[in-house]
């Protein structure tokens, strides 16, 4: 693995697992059904590094059984972890990527310098994707990307990708000789192409929108910010915002997450 990514894990792990331990103790050691790790671009690279450390490392691994794993989450299904990266950077060499993909994530590895377009790719709408990411018995690794993304291309020297290839566009033979497109790396591009292929009414057409706090939660009291009272007020305001604007979201999951957050706050 690239030294920079390896070093970053040393600083990220203590804080991250402190938070995970807090959730584990709050949930009274009730394990989740699946663990998902995801990220875009640099975040996708860090997601790969994190999964590698849990499945292959000597402190948090192997397979999430390492000495540094907090006891409250030791029973979580780390060995069935699901890695989904978007436009991810290449963080390791072929030996690293192949072992992580095939042996630990039980997924299909691709590596061809002369023909860098994966002809065995699948679409985001492929029915096998949902089956694998919800499977409680197996891990999986997917790399979601645009075939003309200059950050992820294998036309140049560098590391190798982790996970089964999922193209958001439809690659052609012309991609082998054509120039890369920096717009193909952008979150908005990836999301729009996925949205077109998935064609689900439950997915909001707009992925991100910035709003002023006064638009979402006009009753916010800055003097009490950070309090449980204000947290409850914000949770209620967000739910009302989605409802008033006819934006679909899973209210049951939202309510459970809010309840968990409040429980964590009450245990501080």
């Amino acid at each position: 693995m690239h030294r920079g990514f390896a070093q970053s894990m040393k600083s990220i792990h203590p804080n991250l697992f402190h938070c995970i331990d807090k959730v584990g103790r709050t949930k009274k050691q009730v394990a989740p059904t699946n663990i998902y790790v995801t990220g875009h671009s640099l975040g996708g690279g860090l997601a790969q590094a994190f999964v590698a450390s849990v499945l292959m490392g000597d402190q948090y691994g192997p397979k999430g059984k390492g000495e540094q794993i907090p006891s409250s989450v030791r029973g979580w299904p780390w060995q069935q972890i699901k890695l989904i990266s978007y436009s991810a950077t290449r963080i390791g060499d072929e030996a690293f990527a192949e072992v992580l993909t095939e042996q630990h994530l039980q997924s299909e590895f691709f590596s061809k310098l002369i023909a860098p377009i994966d002809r065995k790719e699948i679409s985001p709408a492929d029915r096998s994707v949902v089956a694998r990411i919800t499977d409680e018995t197996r891990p999986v690794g997917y790399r979601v990307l645009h075939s003309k993304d200059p950050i992820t291309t294998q036309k140049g020297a560098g590391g190798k990708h982790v996970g089964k290839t999922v193209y958001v566009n439809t690659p052609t033979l012309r991609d082998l000789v054509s120039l890369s497109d920096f717009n193909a790396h952008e979150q908005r591009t990836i999301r729009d192409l996925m949205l077109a292929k998935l064609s689900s009414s439950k997915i909001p057409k707009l992925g991100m929108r910035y709003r002023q706090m006064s638009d979402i939660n006009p009753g916010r009291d800055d003097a009490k910010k950070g309090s449980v009272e204000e947290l409850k007020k914000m949770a209620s305001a967000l739910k009302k915002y989605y409802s008033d604007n006819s934006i679909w979201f899973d209210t049951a999951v939202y309510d459970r997450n809010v309840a968990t957050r409040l429980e964590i706050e009450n245990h501080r």
Side-chain angles (χ1 to χ4, degrees):
M1 188 191 295
H2 186 279
R3 184 172 60 185
F5 280 95
Q7 290 295 324
S8 70
M9 287 297 103
K10 292 182 179 180
S11 63
I12 290 172
H13 276 113
N15 287 329
L16 179 57
F17 274 100
H18 175 75
C19 295
I20 294 174
D21 177 40
K22 196 85 171 179
V23 174
R25 287 187 284 114
T26 300
K27 300 293 285 186
K28 299 177 175 60
Q29 298 187 2
V30 177
T33 301
N34 279 305
I35 299 172
Y36 299 95
V37 184
T38 186
H40 172 265
S41 193
L42 172 61
L46 291 171
Q48 294 174 32
F50 174 80
V51 168
S53 69
V54 170
L55 294 180
M56 304 164 62
D58 59 2
Q59 295 185 44
Y60 294 90
K63 297 184 178 180
K65 303 294 184 183
E67 294 181 357
Q68 297 300 318
I69 290 284
S71 59
S72 65
V73 298
R74 194 173 292 275
W76 283 18
W78 298 105
Q79 65 274 20
Q80 278 86 44
I81 204 165
K82 312 295 192 286
L83 169 66
I84 308 168
S85 68
Y86 296 87
S87 308
T89 53
R90 295 173 287 168
I91 70 165
D93 62 16
E94 184 162 354
F96 162 81
E98 185 172 12
V99 168
L100 178 56
T101 299
E102 294 186 344
Q103 295 184 25
H104 295 277
L105 294 172
Q106 300 176 22
S107 301
E108 189 175 283
F109 178 67
F110 170 75
S111 174
K112 283 188 180 178
L113 183 60
I114 298 177
I117 303 299
D118 189 349
R119 305 312 302 176
K120 295 182 179 179
E121 90 286 358
I122 59 175
S123 161
D126 191 294
R127 292 182 181 274
S128 66
V129 174
V130 173
R132 281 301 298 272
I133 64 176
T134 57
D135 191 335
E136 299 175 25
T137 66
R138 300 176 65 193
V140 74
Y142 288 115
R143 63 181 190 106
V144 184
L145 70 158
H146 192 295
S147 64
K148 298 190 71 174
D149 182 349
I151 307 300
T152 64
T153 182
Q154 296 198 86
K155 292 181 180 180
K160 298 298 181 182
H161 286 293
V162 173
K164 170 70 177 174
T165 305
V166 181
Y167 285 137
V168 295
N169 63 320
T170 303
T172 66
L173 292 176
R174 291 178 59 187
D175 292 346
L176 297 175
V177 295
S178 62
L179 295 174
S180 298
D181 180 3
F182 280 97
N183 187 56
H185 183 71
E186 295 300 318
Q187 290 183 24
R188 180 69 180 267
T189 301
I190 299 297
R191 191 180 190 281
D192 286 350
L193 289 170
M194 286 186 66
L195 187 63
K197 291 201 172 188
L198 291 171
S199 242
S200 172
S201 60
K202 292 183 177 181
I203 304 174
K205 294 187 180 302
L206 185 65
M208 293 180 288
R209 175 183 290 156
Y210 291 100
R211 293 293 194 192
Q212 296 296 323
M213 177 61 75
S214 57
D215 295 335
I216 303 292
N217 186 16
R220 174 184 169 89
D221 185 348
D222 285 336
K224 297 180 180 179
K225 63 182 179 181
S227 67
V228 173
E229 177 186 348
E230 285 300 303
L231 180 60
K232 289 179 179 178
K233 189 186 296 181
M234 185 66 198
S236 178
L238 280 172
K239 194 170 181 178
K240 184 177 186 300
Y241 173 81
Y242 281 116
S243 176
D244 290 348
N245 289 276
S246 300
I247 301 173
W248 184 92
F249 76 114
D250 195 325
T251 55
V253 171
Y254 178 82
D255 289 341
R256 287 201 301 270
N257 289 341
V258 169
T260 299
R261 175 63 188 276
L262 290 173
E263 192 172 350
I264 290 173
E265 291 294 327
N266 289 328
H267 276 76
R268 283 188 174 185

